[in-house]
Amino acid sequence: MARDRDDAAAAPRQKRARPATKGTLANHLAGRVDPLTSAILVFPLFIIYQLGILLSRGLNGVDFVTASLVQLCERDLGNYLVVLSSMLVAYAAILLLLRQRDTFDPKAFVPVLAESAFYALSMGSIILFVMHRFVELMPGLSTSGELSAALATGLSFVDVVVISAGAGLHEELIFRLIGVGGLSWLLAGAMPEKQAWVTALVISSLSFSLAHHLGPNGEPFVFAAFVYRTLAGVFFALVYQVRGLAVAVWTHALYDIYVLGYVGI
């Protein structure tokens, strides 16, 4: 009886001691953004990008996946809408699977956006400092941007938002989620876990930078720009690994909006 009374008295005290930080910045920074929250919070960028494509507002030059889908659909709107519907069904299925282990709090969006904006505004300065300090390179803004100034010329703000949404979403899915997360998981069977992650980090970052110089719309190769984007890939990979996919995607998108808006408009 005495133990029961002690347990009953202790229970309320334990409940009151829990900090009510759910949805706040303190709680957000306490851990990595979970996969379900990431999958939901990046969906607005998917909608923006797809609406931009349907309205012919611009296609991100490194988005080879969507470009291939457009070609596969023979540039037919009906065919593309069928493919888009299939993608939404697959997305819904992924959310249902993730919901079995994670929960979503809509209040997480503001902290994710605030944190991503901070990284987006500080990333360029950090990379330029590293390049100047350790590589002795100092590219101009036109070569250090995620997209070149030539590409930005003549773009409206809506075009900038659409292209940046596509870059943030698709490039992070390919080069960070698959290139870092997926590749490191595969390599972990053949080497120590940390070595596998570093190897995946290097491969994905180099591939990310090189992709901007490939294809008919690829930029002329400039070593300083290549190094800058490689370091940007490393930065995004660290954000993805430590903070989660949603923060990496929004950091990338906001950074592109900042650079394209500043250079090209």
Side-chain angles (χ1 to χ4, degrees), residues 209-210 213 218-227:
S209 184
L210 184 61
H213 302 284
E219 299 177 24
F221 184 86
V222 178
F223 182 68
F226 178 80
V227 173

Side-chain angles (χ1 to χ4, degrees), residues 216-237:
N217 297 322
E219 299 177 24
F221 184 86
V222 178
F223 182 68
F226 178 80
V227 173
Y228 184 95
R229 288 200 180 95
T230 300
L231 293 175
V234 173
F235 186 95
F236 289 134

